Amino acid sequence: MDYQLHPLGDQAVVIELGEEINLETQKKVKRLSTFLEKNHETWMVEYIPAFTTVTLFYDLLAVSQLSQNSVLPYQAVCSYINKIIKSLGTDEEVDQRTIEIPVCYGGEFGPDLEYVAEHNDLTPEEVIKIHSEGDYLVYMIGFAPGFPYIGGMSEKIATPRRKSPRLKIPPRTVGIAGIQTGVYPIETPGGWQLIGQTPIKLFRPLDDSPSLLQAGDKIKFFPISYEEYMNWEDDK
Amino acid sequence: MIKILKPGLLSSIQDLGRYGYQKYGVIASGVMDPLAHRLANLLVGNNELEPTMEISLLGPTIQFEEDMLISIAGADLSPTINGEAVSPWRPIFVKKGAELKFGYAKYGCRAYLAAAGGFAVPSVMESKSTYLRAEIGGYNGRALKEGDILKVTPPSVLSQKIFESLKGNQLFTEMDWTVAADLLPDLADQSRIRVIPGRQFSLFNKDSQIAIFNDPFEVTAQSDRMGYRLKGKEMALEKQEDMISEAVSFGSIQVPPDGNPIVLLADRQTTGGYPKIGQIATVDLPLIAQAKPGDSISFTEVTHEEAQRLYLEREEKIQQLKQGIKLKFR
């Protein structure tokens, strides 16, 4: 397995497992994350999986006490990572769920739908059709609680992030950034182009797993009308 | 038990953060100034993990409903008890009925109030920190309001000993010793906050690479617990590109396309898609946390190795303080 290690600040290391977003790299990220989940060392604080990276946060004091000044703490952490990556197998396929997400596109819910259409020489209707016909995969959860970064969006509707992030984006808003699409679970600032909103809650703080979606899930978006949106009853 | 008579601008219960849930996108939260929080706890005989009250810019007025042992650390918000000035960075015995009042931040931005035992709030996802945006943790998931009653957890043996040594009939009694000066951050150092070059540092153009370590930046009004937006020379990449989102951390300095750097702080998101030009050394996080809108700050370069060494050095001093307090009350 090819990878690179880079420090993030003075108490974390970024393990880069690939250079572009693809299924193969996602599987490597998942495999390493699963290992870290099952093998928690006392000096580990936590890990954050992303598209092409897993970032491991460590307790610098604990590492330095363990390595007793024989090597620099960062080197000690890197040696450990080198060792575990060597030991990782390439088998184990994981179960994949499909989650359907209704979206009310455009209007007050999707103020940037027109811009996304213009940017790609399409009509708003065509953008909706392309967005809701895609097969999507959740690559990671991040940025906000339960926020899925979703791969598989057609390049036909790819649109760069806004030059300056919005200070407030309403919860459950669906957006596009570059070739990524995602859904905002709670009110937060952000730079994505907003195209619609779902009535479904993605962040459920009282559930065992606080995120509705998990890395590796398949997603289908389907368009609903404003009326259907207003009458939607979330099953949770 | 204490009662909030006036809440101040933003007073919330925080601990050292909610770690282990960032993989679900749940942010770490926690105190902005971990050093002030930890010292405040140690001074009242608490474990440094206990939650304290983080007080920002304009402080609250608090009534004590029982005799208590407290300490105040961090920014100077001119605290008084029934009109008489109170000293920070030391244990204080406060009598039932006393009224503690904070004013505007004269020096720094955030003060920390610790109570022996720690404020009693439930753990949510293993932390007592308030996650304001998601409305979970801390005191009912929100900032403190007028009329709120905060209880404290039964204090440790050490806390009880400190309490007994100060207990008296006056409204409050201060300890005659304080924290060693070399442990306290000097906010004059805001003009030289140490920064490690970030993971995407080399993607920025030469001008930006020079400016980040030489030019001053203003903390703008668009600054909060999530992050500080800075204003100064605009940073630019050598070649514009859309980055793949990855983890960020406390003190990451990222640059959105408008060129104005954002320093990510306690309520930062778990991941980000903007290039990181730098990363504030953990040891200097208190300096940025104590900067307020309008302040001018600047960064000086430090190596990754040096940042780790400085951190370990500080940790040793904190251990010494911890031992020192224990020895005094053996």
Side-chain angles (χ1 to χ4, degrees):
Chain A
M1 195 143 89
D2 282 343
Y3 64 95
Q4 287 189 343
L5 303 178
H6 313 268
L8 171 68
D10 49 38
Q11 316 214 7
V13 53
V14 182
I15 307 159
E16 191 173 16
L17 297 159
E19 281 181 356
E20 49 187 72
I21 302 174
N22 58 41
L23 213 59
E24 196 195 340
T25 305
Q26 199 269 332
K27 279 184 181 161
K28 289 180 186 171
V29 167
K30 184 96 188 165
R31 222 173 278 135
L32 179 56
S33 302
T34 308
F35 180 91
L36 293 172
E37 187 71 42
K38 288 181 187 160
N39 300 275
H40 184 92
E41 303 286 338
T42 51
W43 51 268
M44 288 182 189
V45 176
E46 65 180 330
Y47 65 90
I48 303 182
F51 289 108
T52 55
T53 57
V54 176
T55 300
L56 179 63
F57 292 77
Y58 55 90
D59 177 339
L60 177 54
L61 185 62
V63 173
S64 117
Q65 282 163 349
L66 276 177
S67 61
Q68 290 179 335
N69 300 329
S70 59
V71 281
L72 289 170
Y74 179 70
Q75 294 309 328
V77 172
C78 290
S79 311
Y80 177 85
I81 295 166
N82 291 334
K83 204 175 72 193
I84 59 174
I85 289 184
K86 255 186 216 153
S87 77
L88 285 184
T90 47
D91 41 357
E92 291 175 65
E93 283 294 320
V94 272
D95 286 346
Q96 202 172 29
R97 311 183 300 172
T98 300
I99 313 280
E100 300 205 333
I101 297 180
V103 181
C104 180
Y105 288 98
E108 60 180 282
F109 294 146
D112 300 327
L113 179 65
E114 301 265 349
Y115 178 80
V116 171
E118 262 169 49
H119 182 82
N120 291 289
D121 290 323
L122 296 168
T123 64
E125 291 69 32
E126 286 169 321
V127 173
I128 296 172
K129 189 163 188 291
I130 295 168
H131 189 262
S132 60
E133 277 179 353
D135 284 317
Y136 297 99
L137 176 71
V138 177
Y139 277 92
M140 63 179 249
I141 304 295
F143 174 71
F147 181 94
Y149 282 87
I150 298 163
M153 194 183 77
S154 166
E155 295 210 7
K156 288 179 194 156
I157 54 173
T159 314
R161 284 183 174 81
R162 291 168 56 86
K163 285 242 177 332
S164 185
R166 278 192 174 89
L167 294 178
K168 271 184 185 178
I169 291 173
R172 296 174 279 100
T173 301
V174 179
I176 289 177
I179 52 159
Q180 304 169 35
T181 182
V183 190
Y184 282 95
I186 62 166
E187 185 181 282
T188 167
W192 294 44
Q193 307 285 354
L194 311 181
I195 60 166
Q197 207 172 90
T198 174
I200 288 184
K201 284 197 187 85
L202 277 84
F203 177 50
R204 300 151 186 235
L206 301 178
D207 287 11
D208 288 341
S209 169
S211 174
L212 168 72
L213 299 168
Q214 293 168 11
D217 285 347
K218 275 184 168 175
I219 286 185
K220 298 287 273 183
F221 291 109
F222 64 97
I224 57 170
S225 66
Y226 184 78
E227 215 168 36
E228 284 172 301
Y229 176 98
M230 296 311 282
N231 295 322
W232 201 272
E233 280 179 31
D234 205 344
D235 51 2
K236 283 272 193 175
Chain B
M1 195 163 81
I2 60 169
K3 187 176 175 184
I4 307 296
L5 301 182
K6 279 188 196 153
L9 197 61
L10 175 62
S11 307
S12 67
I13 300 299
Q14 301 289 346
D15 61 15
L16 285 172
R18 184 168 284 112
Y19 289 96
Y21 293 84
Q22 290 201 84
K23 55 177 177 275
Y24 300 121
V26 174
I27 66 169
S29 313
V31 290
M32 289 280 277
D33 182 343
L35 179 66
H37 160 93
R38 292 170 68 189
L39 296 183
N41 267 329
L42 294 179
L43 287 167
V44 295
N46 285 353
N47 181 310
E48 36 199 294
L49 301 171
E50 292 298 339
T52 61
M53 186 188 301
E54 183 178 274
I55 293 164
S56 313
L57 282 168
L58 171 62
T61 303
I62 294 161
Q63 188 167 52
F64 291 85
E65 307 277 325
E66 61 184 317
D67 292 357
M68 274 172 76
L69 174 68
I70 63 159
S71 72
I72 298 163
D76 181 0
L77 278 74
S78 318
T80 53
I81 290 180
N82 294 51
E84 213 177 310
V86 200
S87 307
W89 307 105
R90 67 187 70 215
I92 306 163
F93 166 83
V94 187
K95 219 154 172 59
K96 179 180 174 178
E99 228 178 86
L100 170 64
K101 190 179 169 187
F102 291 88
Y104 281 100
K106 274 202 318 208
Y107 184 70
C109 184
R110 294 176 171 84
Y112 292 85
L113 172 68
F119 294 108
V121 296
S123 269
V124 179
M125 291 181 247
E126 297 175 70
S127 164
K128 294 177 178 176
S129 286
T130 314
Y131 179 178
L132 294 164
R133 233 176 218 112
E135 298 173 0
I136 58 172
Y139 188 91
N140 295 337
R142 61 166 170 79
L144 296 168
K145 281 189 200 160
E146 183 185 331
D148 285 348
I149 303 267
L150 276 163
K151 292 185 177 158
V152 291
T153 311
S156 66
V157 175
L158 178 59
S159 296
Q160 288 171 36
K161 284 182 181 168
I162 305 173
F163 178 94
E164 289 302 328
S165 79
L166 284 173
K167 196 174 173 187
N169 288 320
Q170 285 164 339
L171 263 183
F172 70 100
T173 311
E174 293 175 352
M175 190 61 85
D176 55 5
W177 50 261
T178 178
V179 178
D182 66 342
L183 202 44
L184 302 183
D186 181 358
L187 297 192
D189 288 347
Q190 264 169 9
S191 57
R192 44 163 219 94
I193 297 172
R194 286 165 290 195
V195 164
I196 309 164
R199 196 158 117 66
Q200 286 82 29
F201 183 79
S202 62
L203 301 182
F204 285 85
N205 64 26
K206 264 276 162 312
D207 278 1
S208 305
Q209 293 185 1
I210 293 169
I212 190 78
F213 292 125
N214 290 283
D215 287 14
F217 291 89
E218 189 196 319
V219 176
T220 69
Q222 286 175 20
S223 295
D224 57 16
R225 282 181 40 88
M226 183 176 181
Y228 283 4
R229 289 186 186 220
L230 306 181
K231 188 90 192 154
K233 190 181 162 62
E234 286 179 6
M235 305 281 118
L237 295 177
E238 189 62 50
K239 172 167 114 342
Q240 200 58 48
E241 48 190 306
D242 240 350
M243 232 189 74
I244 299 174
S245 291
E246 60 181 34
V248 295
S249 74
F250 201 162
S252 292
I253 307 172
Q254 60 171 23
V255 181
D258 70 6
N260 295 311
I262 301 174
V263 184
L264 300 178
L265 300 167
D267 283 352
R268 68 198 175 275
Q269 63 265 37
T270 57
T271 57
Y274 295 130
K276 295 180 279 286
I277 193 166
Q279 175 80 35
I280 296 179
T282 304
V283 77
D284 279 353
L285 289 176
L287 297 179
I288 187 84
Q290 293 297 353
K292 47 179 178 268
D295 281 0
S296 175
I297 58 171
S298 52
F299 304 119
T300 58
E301 187 173 352
V302 69
T303 62
H304 173 259
E305 212 173 280
E306 178 71 355
Q308 292 203 325
R309 195 186 60 74
L310 291 166
Y311 177 85
L312 293 171
E313 229 174 68
R314 159 97 44 91
E315 287 306 304
E316 205 177 305
K317 284 184 196 160
I318 295 174
Q319 287 308 314
Q320 283 166 5
L321 174 71
K322 222 189 225 177
Q323 292 308 319
I325 294 174
K326 265 190 198 152
L327 282 173
K328 277 191 186 27
F329 297 95
R330 223 174 10 184

